[in-house]
Amino acid sequence: MIAAMQMDENLTHVTCFAHTINLAAKRALKLGTTARLLGRIRRIVGYFHRSTCAAEALVSAQKSLQLQVDEGGVRDCDDDDDDDDDEDGGDTDIRDGVTSHKLIIDVETRWNSAHDMVERFLEQQPATCLALLSPDVRRNNTADSTALNDDEIKNAEEMMKALKPMKDATNITSVDSSPTLSIIAPLLHQMLNDNTDKGFAPKAGDKPLVREMKRAIHEDLSRRYTSEKTKLLLHKASALDPRFKALPFLAAEEQVDIEASLIREAASLEDQQMRPGDGVSDSSPGESAGEGPARKRNSASAALVNLLGSTFNTEVRVVPSASSRAEEELKRYWAEPALALTEDPLEWWKSSEKSFPLLAKLAKRYLCIPGTSVAAERVFSTAGDVVKAQRSCLTPEHVDQLVFLQKNLNISDC
């Protein structure tokens, strides 16, 4: 759980979005047909990992089918810094100066490792099939690791296609350097949308396996982030992100409510920080720097001041309220062009802070909230790699230094 922020004296919690995706995907992968298919692929991959004879036959098959990849063109399938793709700790195998893709075996804690396993298996499926038909492999193969039939391969391909949006969402939340809270509402709406091929609402043309997976994912995601306070928090964060500020996934009435809520909160922040006399200038119009000396009054004006000055000479300057200034800022903010999805919203607010001083305070309050705890979990994983039984004599100070250097020291390629 991520402690989001304190609003109205109540602490609002938002679940890590990467963990939410992981739970929904794992629920879909545990369905009967899908689980059996993954089990078949896992047994085949595990056999190639355990058997030296099968591994040699696979490399030979890759070469004969020209499935190997040049050394400079290896594709890295690892999405997280803290986990290996396979039990051998490597993604590729280099033999005779040629780099070939190794099969990947999944790990329990990461659903996307199952996706990577199936993706690599389908890529190397001709080679695995040829290797399993090798006489030496068949003679030594005592496990249930025969090649997949055509229906199983088609189901695996459909499963990969169905899970592609989940894979993309996992990459966004896990790889992005600053996955703020604002990303959750747009991604969640896209996944639950019935009118797009990237949503998980079952469609009439889906195959039974895909329909079951989509239904499981859709039901699981529909139960997340359902409280009104959480939805308000997510929508306000998205509105303050210049990439998603249009809020096209909300109805017009909801957009109006979000706008009014932002105006009220921005004005309240200003009122809390406003000191007596702020925003009011003691100098009268015409006396500001650069306008030159005031015009000399004639005698009639001087006489009028002497007679009526005590009654009518009080100068009143109308200072806009914080609410009206917040409303004016919000209108100008809406009028600004939307930020490209590839740009950083935090950098945009850094450069636009002077143009939108009230909204900038609100943006700092919302966009500082991480939408996922992946970055923090990676720090713990790094610490676990440093503190091992073989290094039990390390002092706490040295552990802190090693973790800090691993996360912050960039070593350029020599």
Side-chain angles (χ1 to χ4, degrees), residues 60 83 95 108 123 130 160 188 198 245 285 287 296 310 370:
S60 177
D83 291 310
R95 302 192 184 196
E108 179 65 24
E123 174 194 285
L130 182 59
M160 291 291 299
L188 187 63
K198 297 182 180 179
K245 62 182 179 180
E287 294 179 353
K296 187 177 181 180
S310 60

Side-chain angles (χ1 to χ4, degrees), residues 203-223:
K203 297 179 175 57
D206 292 336
K207 292 187 176 181
L209 178 141
V210 174
R211 190 179 303 115
E212 290 180 3
M213 292 179 60
K214 285 186 174 181
R215 184 179 294 111
I217 293 174
H218 193 277
E219 290 177 356
D220 192 276
L221 292 179
S222 298
R223 297 186 291 105

Side-chain angles (χ1 to χ4, degrees), residues 165-242:
M166 296 289 280
K167 174 72 171 181
D168 293 340
T170 301
N171 287 341
I172 291 171
T173 56
S174 301
V175 178
D176 192 357
S177 59
S178 55
T180 67
L181 192 71
S182 60
I183 197 70
I184 295 180
L187 286 179
L188 187 63
H189 177 268
Q190 187 72 14
M191 292 180 180
L192 297 177
N193 193 353
D194 298 341
N195 301 321
T196 175
D197 57 349
K198 297 182 180 179
F200 286 95
K203 297 179 175 57
D206 292 336
K207 292 187 176 181
L209 178 141
V210 174
R211 190 179 303 115
E212 290 180 3
M213 292 179 60
K214 285 186 174 181
R215 184 179 294 111
I217 293 174
H218 193 277
E219 290 177 356
D220 192 276
L221 292 179
S222 298
R223 297 186 291 105
R224 313 288 179 175
Y225 311 108
T226 55
S227 71
E228 292 300 323
K229 182 176 291 186
T230 300
K231 289 193 291 186
L232 179 62
L233 175 64
L234 297 180
H235 294 161
K236 289 166 75 172
S238 297
L240 290 169
D241 190 321

Side-chain angles (χ1 to χ4, degrees), residues 11-24:
L11 192 63
T12 303
H13 291 273
V14 179
T15 308
C16 170
F17 192 57
H19 184 60
T20 298
I21 296 174
N22 186 54
L23 292 177

